[in-house]
Amino acid sequence: MSIFKKGIYFGVAVCDVSTGEYYATQINENNNFERLLDEISRFSPAEIIANDLLYASSEEIAKIKERFGLYISKANEEAFTTNTEKIIENYEIVSDKGIKIHTFEDKLFAVAAINGLLDYLNQTQKIKLEHINTIQIYNTNKYMSLDINARRNLEITERMRDKSKKGTLLWVLDKTSTSMGGRMLRRWLSDPLIDIFEIRNRLDAVEELKDNIMLRGDIVETLKKVYDIERLIGKISYGNANARDMISLKNSIKQLPEIKAILSKTNSALIQKLYTQLDELKDVYMLIDKAIIEEPPISVKEGGMIKKGYNEEVDELKSATTDGKKWLMELEVKEKEQTGIKNLKVGFNKVFGYFIEVTKSNLSQVPERFIRKQTLTNAERYITEELKNLEEKILGSQEKLINLEYELFLEIRCELAKQIKRIQNAANIISTLDVLTSFATVAQDLNYTKPTMTEDGIIDIQGGRHPVIEKMLPSGSFVENNTYLDKEADRLSIITGPNMAGKSTYMRQVALITLMAQVGSFVPATKANIGIVDKIFTRVGASDDLSMGQSTFMVEMMEVANILKEATSDSLVILDEIGRGTSTYDGLSIAWAVASYIADKEKCGAKTLFATHYHELTELENQVEGVKNYSIAVKEKGEDIIFLRKIVKGGTDESYGIHVAKLAGVPAPVVKKANEILKSLERKSALSKTTEKENKKQPAGQLDMYNYKLAELAHEIDKINLNELTPIEALNTLVKLKESVS
Ligand code: ADP
Ligand code: MG
């Protein structure tokens, strides 16, 4: 990635040299450095080059290094020009919709970054890379903006703890058949869309592939035979592809007509588009098929690659080497007859070449014309004039053959390099199809549903599940939950509930379902209406955020500040126990102020899920329009609590912290003491509050028992297995349920 900084603006260009993808953009709005960090995390490059100004901004450089742990170097300052001519001459410039762009004078920061990167690639790669032929200039607002914390926190492509793929959204959704598809899926997950038509197109395609099981099966079968075409193209372009790579390429291309035939039977717009655009590359297939044998050697400098019939001279030289063997046998027979030495034989070794070997006992019969070359313990080796001539003929043609085969191979590789653009396009279509098919398979296997996409700003999820936690828990044990958020009365949900109740899981589930829908995937829910969001933010309170290392309250507040600046009324904000990193009163005051600010339509109005252990925040429901209280239900059973995992209306004023301590095995005397202290504290605060309370119609933040009852009831009904119930049992169950309500 090349980053060009000018004033407070940035140009960014990024290239994957192995696959040839090349993107560029510029950031010249608000809060630019945060945006830059988002772009870096979107691509997670291996290396960054910077212009002088950025390199000299030591604070920014330090931040990038600390966040991403990558290598940053200063590049040649002169290279970062705003000259567009050379770019236009050598590359096709396309917009993020794939439309060709002819001028991009309005994107000069991006241009500077592109020029800087091209110069660097030229210097380090030394050769012109044919597979880098298109530069896509994208707008940072084509995609949903996901801040780095959201990417990390939602564990989209890597786990926070160990950076592994297992346990991430990618892990759940990746049923791709090719490594190209796997890479594209990763990119899609990093770049959720915001264009409703594009999203619907993907969803319709996934639906068709999900419903048409035969079609999906055929596609998967065929895709499995496709190698990593992108990497093969990279090798061809670098000039280090061997004949085996060409055969892999050929065998992959061989699948294209098959795929095209399968796709001809589809209806959805996106797959139809893939069908029409898929080039079967028959000429490329023929070229390799005519020239290269099926199982060529790894080395390209030892011959044995070119097929019979491809080149006359190769065929002639080949027959010279096979004929040579015949000639040598004839010579051996002739010399045996002429000298009368019965065990005389013709042989070959690498140092001395061809020779005639005569054992010691027959030395007297050796004629004058034999010239001695080598003495062994039992034998002498000779050559003759005739053998010398034969040797030249045989070895000469072998050498010629090897050279000629190498030349022809280079010609073919060059020819292929000219077709790279077409091959890349085909590879892209394969990858897209692979990802869509993977979505369809996952939707089928995990019982996902097609979300309805709207632009009304309403997120309405019925029976939502957390895709990753659901998969990690025993099948069927994850408890579904509903969500309703809109731009009006239900903008901000305050979520309370004891530790371990499932608050964080619930909030992440809403963010993940929204993200999945905008990527074009079906979602883990029974029904989902997703009003497209422009940005997702998450912030987890400092003490909960183990991976940060420094875990400072300062960092937490800086990020909260950023969310308050950046979130719009179309954004989705997840705040998980913010304010924890400081004293109770500080923390509570900050949490309170942040929640009221976000809920304020004039100032922000983003859809927000706000989990907190400050029960005082439930008061906000009465004071700020758009705020609703929820809690995650638990059931008290004597001294113990049972987690119901159901989100219900209303706040809770009990933290159950002591219950959790007991569950976790804190010794009984300690738990008992804690309970006593709690009781005395509650008595004290009750005394001080009575006067306040008398002035209010309704005591704020009270546990809503009715809703808990409902949740419990729902849970009981949920547990009933209708398939195993006799009519009598059903009746008894109904009686029991009825009793429990009355
Ligand atoms: P909190 O944030 O309230 O402390 P978490 O969201 O971290 O709680 O959840 C704690 C654990 O509870 C999770 O690791 C998960 O195993 C379990 N859990 C959470 N939600 C559910 C659910 N809906 N169904 C089943 N198990 C859940
Ligand atoms: Mg939590």
Side-chain angles (χ1 to χ4, degrees):
M1 174 178 281
S2 141
I3 306 175
F4 171 75
K5 174 174 163 122
K6 179 148 191 176
I8 55 163
Y9 303 140
F10 296 98
V12 177
V14 52
C15 178
D16 182 339
V17 268
S18 63
T19 63
E21 287 160 278
Y22 199 140
Y23 301 93
T25 193
Q26 64 184 30
I27 305 165
N28 51 355
E29 294 136 51
N30 298 325
N31 222 347
N32 289 310
F33 186 66
E34 288 296 328
R35 282 285 187 85
L36 177 67
L37 294 179
D38 293 348
E39 290 317 299
I40 300 175
S41 76
R42 185 195 303 282
F43 292 102
S44 43
E47 184 184 346
I48 289 180
I49 57 165
N51 70 331
D52 286 354
L53 181 59
L54 175 60
Y55 201 77
S57 316
S58 45
E59 209 177 293
E60 292 182 337
I61 292 287
K63 255 190 195 154
I64 297 173
K65 278 189 178 157
E66 177 196 310
R67 284 259 160 95
F68 302 100
L70 42 66
Y71 183 73
I72 305 181
S73 59
K74 192 164 80 161
N76 176 15
E77 183 67 15
E78 274 91 72
F80 291 90
T81 69
T82 50
N83 188 340
T84 57
E85 264 165 49
K86 234 171 95 193
I87 306 176
I88 293 188
E89 232 167 72
N90 291 296
Y91 299 90
E92 192 168 311
I93 314 295
V94 298
S95 73
D96 39 30
K97 290 225 156 75
I99 298 161
K100 209 173 152 132
I101 304 176
H102 298 283
T103 63
F104 47 117
E105 306 290 336
D106 57 329
K107 293 267 183 337
L108 290 181
F109 302 121
V111 170
I114 293 174
N115 279 325
L117 186 55
L118 288 177
D119 179 72
Y120 183 71
L121 289 176
N122 264 337
Q123 280 182 30
T124 51
Q125 312 293 317
K126 302 289 183 216
I127 47 165
K128 167 111 169 66
L129 299 171
E130 296 288 343
H131 67 307
I132 304 175
N133 45 43
T134 309
I135 302 176
Q136 186 183 315
I137 311 271
Y138 70 96
N139 273 324
T140 43
N141 56 15
K142 167 188 163 81
Y143 301 114
M144 177 201 281
S145 137
L146 272 169
D147 72 330
I148 333 171
N149 291 308
R151 281 178 208 275
R152 268 199 10 224
N153 223 283
L154 298 174
E155 306 197 302
I156 299 172
T157 56
E158 61 179 36
R159 284 244 287 212
M160 277 200 272
R161 221 173 313 148
D162 51 9
K163 305 243 174 230
S164 65
K165 177 179 166 190
K166 182 152 192 241
T168 64
L169 182 62
L170 176 65
W171 169 72
V172 175
L173 293 181
D174 192 357
K175 289 277 178 286
T176 54
S177 313
T178 69
S179 34
M180 298 183 283
R183 285 196 298 273
M184 182 169 277
L185 172 60
R186 193 180 274 272
R187 260 192 324 269
W188 281 20
L189 289 178
S190 307
D191 295 331
L193 302 170
I194 47 179
D195 182 312
I196 192 165
F197 297 103
E198 269 186 86
I199 299 170
R200 281 182 184 155
N201 267 342
R202 284 189 189 171
L203 288 169
D204 290 344
V206 173
E207 183 173 42
E208 177 169 33
L209 290 165
K210 175 174 178 260
D211 293 346
N212 192 337
I213 297 168
M214 296 278 282
L215 172 74
R216 179 149 47 93
D218 289 347
I219 292 175
V220 170
E221 262 328 288
T222 327
L223 287 181
K224 281 199 176 130
K225 295 180 202 143
V226 177
Y227 294 85
D228 193 338
I229 301 179
E230 284 170 343
R231 294 259 185 258
L232 292 172
I233 301 172
K235 279 175 129 186
I236 289 172
S237 183
Y238 264 106
N240 53 18
N242 62 21
R244 283 200 187 166
D245 295 325
M246 289 188 186
I247 292 300
S248 301
L249 180 62
K250 181 186 91 167
N251 288 334
S252 305
I253 293 177
K254 194 176 173 181
Q255 308 305 321
L256 297 180
E258 181 102 357
I259 291 172
K260 188 139 186 156
I262 297 171
L263 296 189
S264 70
K265 291 174 251 162
T266 59
N267 300 312
S268 60
L270 180 55
I271 306 184
Q272 268 300 306
K273 189 170 138 206
L274 298 181
Y275 164 72
T276 11
Q277 288 180 350
L278 182 60
D279 176 344
E280 292 170 293
L281 299 172
K282 285 195 168 136
D283 51 327
V284 179
Y285 176 86
M286 291 294 286
L287 173 67
I288 304 174
D289 189 54
K290 260 195 334 213
I292 309 286
I293 66 163
E294 279 320 301
E295 285 176 20
I298 294 173
S299 166
V300 293
K301 290 190 171 156
E302 285 170 18
M305 303 177 285
I306 303 294
K307 248 188 194 170
K308 199 167 177 226
Y310 177 68
N311 177 291
E312 234 171 83
E313 204 182 337
V314 168
D315 291 350
E316 264 168 33
L317 290 170
K318 261 194 192 150
S319 71
T321 51
T322 35
D323 286 352
K325 290 203 186 95
K326 205 172 74 202
W327 299 333
L328 289 168
M329 265 164 50
E330 282 165 7
L331 180 110
E332 191 180 281
V333 172
K334 197 176 82 190
E335 291 292 3
K336 271 184 190 164
E337 267 169 21
Q338 281 186 6
T339 60
I341 305 173
K342 292 251 161 38
N343 62 358
L344 167 153
K345 65 175 193 246
V346 173
F348 177 81
N349 92 16
K350 275 207 171 128
V351 185
F352 296 100
Y354 288 101
F355 52 77
I356 297 170
E357 190 173 294
V358 180
T359 52
K360 288 262 158 84
S361 55
N362 292 318
L363 285 189
S364 57
Q365 279 164 279
V366 172
E368 289 268 307
R369 59 193 170 81
F370 278 30
I371 305 155
R372 197 159 69 213
K373 238 179 153 180
Q374 192 187 8
T375 306
L376 305 176
T377 4
N378 309 321
E380 295 281 347
R381 287 174 174 177
Y382 303 90
I383 56 157
T384 65
E385 200 57 43
E386 196 185 353
L387 186 56
K388 187 95 206 143
N389 289 338
L390 264 184
E391 181 182 86
E392 261 163 35
K393 226 165 135 184
I394 295 168
L395 294 184
S397 63
Q398 224 160 44
E399 205 179 296
K400 264 194 219 153
L401 179 62
I402 286 172
N403 287 338
L404 181 60
E405 283 208 32
Y406 183 59
E407 260 170 49
L408 290 171
F409 170 79
L410 291 185
E411 262 174 38
I412 298 163
R413 197 160 71 188
C414 209
E415 202 45 52
L416 288 175
K418 286 187 202 145
Q419 306 304 327
I420 275 176
K421 186 93 226 277
R422 289 170 59 211
I423 307 174
Q424 264 170 349
N425 286 340
N428 240 317
I429 290 175
I430 299 280
S431 317
T432 309
L433 186 63
D434 198 3
V435 177
L436 294 170
T437 310
S438 175
F439 282 163
T441 306
V442 172
Q444 174 82 50
D445 293 352
L446 303 180
N447 202 14
Y448 287 1
T449 191
K450 185 184 182 186
T452 307
M453 305 309 295
T454 64
E455 284 175 324
D456 57 10
I458 296 173
I459 292 182
D460 184 0
I461 300 167
Q462 306 285 319
R465 285 117 58 201
H466 187 299
V468 179
I469 309 270
E470 178 190 32
K471 214 178 153 179
M472 306 258 235
L473 290 178
S475 158
S477 59
F478 191 89
V479 180
E480 300 180 347
N481 271 310
N482 300 344
T483 305
Y484 184 86
L485 288 168
D486 63 18
K487 288 182 149 182
E488 301 304 325
D490 294 273
R491 288 196 297 276
L492 188 143
S493 306
I494 300 276
I495 301 169
T496 45
N499 262 323
M500 290 300 288
K503 301 181 295 297
S504 302
T505 307
Y506 173 71
M507 296 195 299
R508 285 187 177 84
Q509 146 187 333
V510 176
L512 285 171
I513 288 176
T514 307
L515 183 140
M516 287 166 81
Q518 290 188 224
V519 162
S521 164
F522 280 26
V523 298
T526 44
K527 194 160 173 270
N529 182 106
I530 305 293
I532 292 169
V533 307
D534 63 348
K535 305 169 188 182
I536 295 180
F537 297 91
T538 72
R539 178 60 229 179
V540 176
S543 64
D544 256 17
D545 188 357
L546 300 170
S547 65
M548 280 300 284
Q550 77 262 47
S551 166
T552 64
F553 182 60
M554 182 69 181
V555 173
E556 181 186 331
M557 283 303 114
M558 274 162 58
E559 283 164 8
V560 167
N562 181 48
I563 295 176
L564 297 183
K565 268 187 262 169
E566 289 284 294
T568 74
S569 62
D570 290 317
S571 307
L572 176 63
V573 178
I574 307 288
L575 295 173
D576 198 348
E577 312 253 13
I578 62 154
R580 260 202 168 176
T582 183
S583 76
T584 311
Y585 287 112
D586 272 2
L588 170 59
S589 323
I590 290 168
W592 184 289
V594 167
S596 2
Y597 183 94
I598 293 187
D600 188 337
K601 253 185 179 174
E602 300 283 300
K603 297 188 178 114
C604 176
K607 282 184 273 298
T608 307
L609 297 172
F610 196 130
T612 181
H613 60 291
Y614 298 121
H615 305 105
E616 293 85 344
L617 286 193
T618 52
E619 297 250 4
L620 277 171
E621 188 181 59
N622 301 325
Q623 299 186 7
V624 182
E625 184 246 323
V627 177
K628 287 274 161 7
N629 287 334
Y630 289 90
S631 54
I632 305 217
V634 291
K635 188 162 105 174
E636 281 185 76
K637 205 171 184 186
E639 290 274 278
D640 296 327
I641 53 170
I642 295 166
F643 294 116
L644 299 180
R645 313 275 183 224
K646 268 284 176 202
I647 186 134
V648 292
K649 276 231 162 121
T652 162
D653 57 2
E654 275 208 69
S655 84
Y656 297 96
I658 297 172
H659 289 92
V660 174
K662 189 179 164 210
L663 275 186
V666 172
V670 180
V671 173
K672 192 159 164 263
K673 183 80 190 166
N675 260 321
E676 285 165 19
I677 294 173
L678 178 67
K679 293 245 163 66
S680 81
L681 285 177
E682 278 174 353
R683 264 198 305 278
K684 266 191 212 154
S685 73
L687 282 176
S688 64
K689 264 190 189 165
T690 36
T691 39
E692 231 177 278
K693 270 189 181 173
E694 279 164 2
N695 303 332
K696 278 186 201 146
K697 278 183 230 138
Q698 206 189 344
Q702 211 175 48
L703 185 79
D704 188 337
M705 278 320 286
Y706 179 67
N707 272 315
Y708 277 150
K709 264 264 154 65
L710 274 187
E712 250 181 85
L713 202 59
H715 190 61
E716 289 306 318
I717 296 175
D718 221 318
K719 278 197 311 200
I720 300 169
N721 185 347
L722 290 179
N723 294 328
E724 286 175 3
L725 225 55
T726 66
I728 293 289
E729 279 168 347
L731 201 58
N732 285 334
T733 312
L734 194 56
V735 170
K736 252 193 249 152
L737 286 174
K738 198 123 199 241
E739 274 168 5
S740 75
V741 223
S742 55

